[in-house]
Amino acid sequence: MAEQLQERPTVSAPRHTPVSPSPSAPPQGNSNVDIETPPSKSEEDQPPNGGYGWVCVACCFWINGSTWGINSTYAVFLAYYLSHDYFPNTSALAYAFIGGLSISMAMLVAPLATKCTATFGTKVTLHVGVFFETLSLIGASFATQKYQLLLAQGVCFGWGMGFLFVGSVGIIPQWFTTRKSVANAVAAAGSGCGGLIWSLSTQAMIDNLGLPWAFRILGVLSFTINLICSNIIRDRNAQVGARNRSFDWSLLKRPEFLLVQAWSWLSMFGYVTVLFSLPSYARQIGLTAQQGSIIGAIFNLGQMLGRPFIGLASDRFGRINLAALLSAMCGVFCLVFWIPAEVVGSQMGLLTFFSVVGGALAGTFWTTIAPVAAEVVGIQDLGSALSWTWLIMVPPVTCAEAIALEIRRVGVVDFVYINAQVFCAVSYIAGGLVMWVLRGWKIGEMEEIERIKHKEERRRAQRGAMLQQESEKGHAHSHDGERDSTLTREVSALSARKQGWDLKDLLRRMMKVQKV
């Protein structure tokens, strides 16, 4: 999840009303004008672009590893549940819902976590998350009925993950300017690293110590790691003027923001399907439980290795460009490498290759959602935009794996998962196409901002010449000029967003080669 940002062109203000650039200004050539102009900041309020920010990156890395990383081990648990009658009278569909429920609960509590951050501060929000996640894992170790497992591993773990994720996800962009994408990508790689470590260790713990002790050990380790990181990490909410609003209803009236939500839906249908299905798919085609857990771990290794490179590439080639391209590429890889894995001579070899490359591509959404949302709504409204995103994502993350298991072919030996694999691939490809449309809008907005900028510069030059000739009259009209400039900025922001949806030029802009 994250961003780089350099200087972005904005509508210029008069010389007597300087406007500091947003702390998350996009790369040169990209632009996003906020309706409300942020207040001027003193030099010391600017992001240090590193320093203690790297400590915060390390904390977010391990928080992600001990939340999303542990959550990804549900693929190991799911494979175990499907092959053992540990919880009597529990269907595969019920098990599938538990895995999706943990993610959906994390998304559902996001607005509450955002409100908690605004009211009580970041540390309180993170500590609440530590409490719920620890309680869930220890509680799951004593579960004997499926409803107990659903409440512990599904609902309670999701609450803990949600508070930890929301409390930490917005911190890194506050510490960096030009290195935002790299810093966020490194932190996001923590989920892959955690998934790699926990997937292998969880399978070993289940085999040697049993399911209850696997839960308890995970609970103690996650408590220790998350508590240390929660107390070391620091935010800069006061310096950046973060609004931390749970909901801004005006965002739902903006077509470009709705496209981001469509991309999130499609990405989650694909991501949850491949994340939770790989180990059980491996066992279905004849591999062992140990090989299945290794495939799941390698998939997380791919995420860990791929996310920093996605961050670096988005710095160089543009965030929306990369989000569109890599989402579509992930769908293509599912068709080309995942489906044939069942019939090749070396099943483990091809599935391992797909897990590495597909894992690197599958997490594109998590690496780019924050910078993409910042491009669309601006840094000050990023918290609200992400809260909406997490909430709107609840249905797909809840139902994705359940859909995948339900559309499996029943009563056949070969290609049992073919429908789920196609479902995953089509979701990713469609998500890439949605982002390509958003890219066309963004280029249109940028072109309009550039036009307004040049127009405003000419207006300022004319006004400066007039004030030079009539200094006293110019002083009398200075406040009118300030009000006019504020009004111009507000009108320009709305005009630029609308101009981006000029359908006559949208297709041309979609085909234009440009960093976005």
Side-chain angles (χ1 to χ4, degrees), residues 2 26 51 79 106 145 162 240 303-304 308 344 348 365-366 370 394 421 423 428 431 481 489 507 512:
Q145 301 293 326
V240 303
Q303 293 195 73
M304 181 183 71
V344 298
M348 186 67 180
F365 172 83
W366 298 111
V394 168
Q421 292 166 318
F423 170 68
Y428 270 118
R489 289 193 297 272
L507 184 60
K512 187 175 181 179

Side-chain angles (χ1 to χ4, degrees), residues 325-337:
L325 178 63
L326 298 185
S327 294
M329 280 182 61
C330 187
V332 173
F333 269 71
C334 288
L335 295 174
V336 175
F337 295 108

Side-chain angles (χ1 to χ4, degrees), residues 145-258:
Q145 301 293 326
K146 63 181 177 182
Y147 81 89
Q148 297 170 342
L149 185 69
L150 184 145
L151 290 175
Q153 198 171 10
V155 176
C156 194
F157 187 88
W159 289 351
M161 186 165 63
F163 273 90
L164 282 163
F165 173 61
V166 172
S168 61
V169 70
I171 292 178
I172 293 177
Q174 300 174 353
W175 285 91
F176 294 88
T177 53
T178 59
R179 299 170 181 170
K180 275 184 178 165
S181 289
V182 175
N184 277 276
V186 170
S191 64
C193 178
L196 171 66
I197 295 170
W198 300 126
S199 292
L200 295 175
S201 58
T202 297
Q203 184 65 56
M205 287 186 283
I206 291 175
D207 292 340
N208 294 286
L209 302 174
L211 187 67
W213 275 106
F215 277 123
R216 290 164 195 158
I217 294 172
L218 285 177
V220 171
L221 292 176
S222 69
F223 171 80
T224 304
I225 294 170
N226 287 330
L227 188 63
I228 292 173
C229 294
S230 298
N231 286 311
I232 294 176
I233 202 168
R234 290 207 316 248
D235 64 56
R236 301 183 72 251
N237 289 334
Q239 288 92 332
V240 303
R243 294 186 177 122
N244 284 322
R245 290 183 295 190
S246 295
F247 295 105
D248 182 352
W249 292 90
S250 66
L251 293 178
L252 298 181
K253 300 177 183 179
R254 296 171 59 172
E256 60 273 15
F257 182 67
L258 297 180

